[in-house]
C-alpha cells in the first residue's frame, strides 16, 4: 500500500463533505448525509479552510482519497491547556470500509496532531464514536464529561425555573 497523507485544500471540500456524510451514516445518523447538508458542509469548508478556521487532512492511495480528518479551530478564553485560548475540535474522522484496520485513522490523526501543534495549537478535543474510541485511547486521549442539548424544543414544557 502506498498511502500518502496530505493537508486538504478548498479543492477537497466536496470529498471532505462526502466523507463526513458517510461517517454519519456509519454512526446511524443518515439524516446528516442529506444533499443539502453535504452542500452546506462543502460550502463551509471552502470558506473556512483559507481563513485557517478549519484544517483537514486526506489519506490517499495512489491519488484516490480513502480517508480524512478535520479540525475546527475554536477560540475562547485562555486556559491552562490553551493559553492562547485556541483549541482544536477534531471532527469527521473517516476511513472507507475497505481500508479500515490498516492504521490509517491513527496515521491521519498523527498528521493532524503534528500539523496543529505546528501552528501553535496546544489542546485538542473530540467526540468519539464507539468504533473510534479504542483508536483515540491508544493515542492518549482521555474521556471527559461533556453534556449537550438541542435547542429545537427550548424551553421544555416541564422545566423547573
Amino acid at each position: 500500500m502506498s498511502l500518502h497523507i496530505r493537508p486538504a485544500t478548498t479543492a477537497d471540500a466536496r470529498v471532505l463533505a462526502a466523507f463526513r456524510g458517510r461517517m454519519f451514516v456509519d454512526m446511524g445518523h443518515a439524516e446528516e448525509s442529506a444533499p443539502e447538508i453535504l452542500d452546506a458542509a462543502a460550502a463551509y469548508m471552502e470558506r473556512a479552510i483559507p481563513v485557517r478556521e478549519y484544517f483537514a487532512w486526506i489519506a490517499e492511495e495512489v491519488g484516490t482519497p480513502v480517508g480524512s480528518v478535520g479540525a475546527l479551530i475554536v477560540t475562547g478564553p485562555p486556559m491552562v491547556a490553551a493559553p492562547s485560548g485556541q483549541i482544536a475540535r477534531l471532527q469527521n474522522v473517516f476511513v472507507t470500509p475497505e481500508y479500515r484496520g490498516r492504521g490509517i485513522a491513527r496515521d491521519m490523526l498523527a498528521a493532524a496532531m503534528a500539523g496543529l501543534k505546528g501552528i501553535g495549537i496546544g489542546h485538542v478535543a473530540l467526540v468519539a464514536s464507539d468504533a473510534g474510541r479504542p483508536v483515540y485511547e491508544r493515542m492518549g486521549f482521555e474521556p471527559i464529561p461533556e453534556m449537550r442539548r438541542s435547542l429545537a424544543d427550548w424551553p421544555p414544557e416541564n422545566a423547573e425555573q
Side-chain angles (χ1 to χ4, degrees):
M1 180 170 69
S2 124
L3 186 73
H4 173 66
I5 298 171
R6 64 171 177 80
T9 69
T10 56
D12 298 307
R14 291 273 167 206
V15 169
L16 295 170
F19 281 168
R20 175 181 166 84
R22 291 177 67 185
M23 175 202 70
F24 278 120
V25 168
D26 284 356
M27 292 171 47
H29 301 286
E31 69 278 6
E32 296 291 343
S33 67
E36 62 274 12
I37 299 296
L38 297 183
D39 287 346
Y44 166 79
M45 291 169 193
E46 288 171 351
R47 180 194 62 75
I49 289 172
V51 297
R52 301 171 57 94
E53 178 182 305
Y54 189 82
F55 292 82
W57 291 261
I58 293 182
E60 296 177 325
E61 184 176 53
V62 193
T64 299
V66 300
S68 65
V69 59
L72 172 65
I73 306 302
V74 179
T75 302
M79 58 183 162
V80 172
S84 70
Q86 287 191 316
I87 66 166
R89 301 265 326 162
L90 295 178
Q91 305 177 329
N92 310 326
V93 180
F94 180 80
V95 175
T96 57
E98 60 273 20
Y99 284 88
R100 292 179 186 162
R102 301 181 190 184
I104 295 171
R106 179 199 62 230
D107 293 347
M108 288 189 311
L109 286 164
M113 304 280 269
L116 292 166
K117 185 175 181 181
I119 62 165
I121 302 295
H123 186 81
V124 297
L126 58 81
V127 175
S129 67
D130 291 339
R133 189 172 309 281
V135 173
Y136 307 129
E137 288 175 348
R138 282 192 299 273
M139 294 187 76
F141 283 81
E142 301 172 22
I144 60 168
E146 183 173 284
M147 297 177 73
R148 66 178 168 179
R149 185 194 199 292
S150 169
L151 296 178
D153 64 343
W154 188 264
E157 291 179 25
N158 59 357
E160 292 186 30
Q161 299 294 333

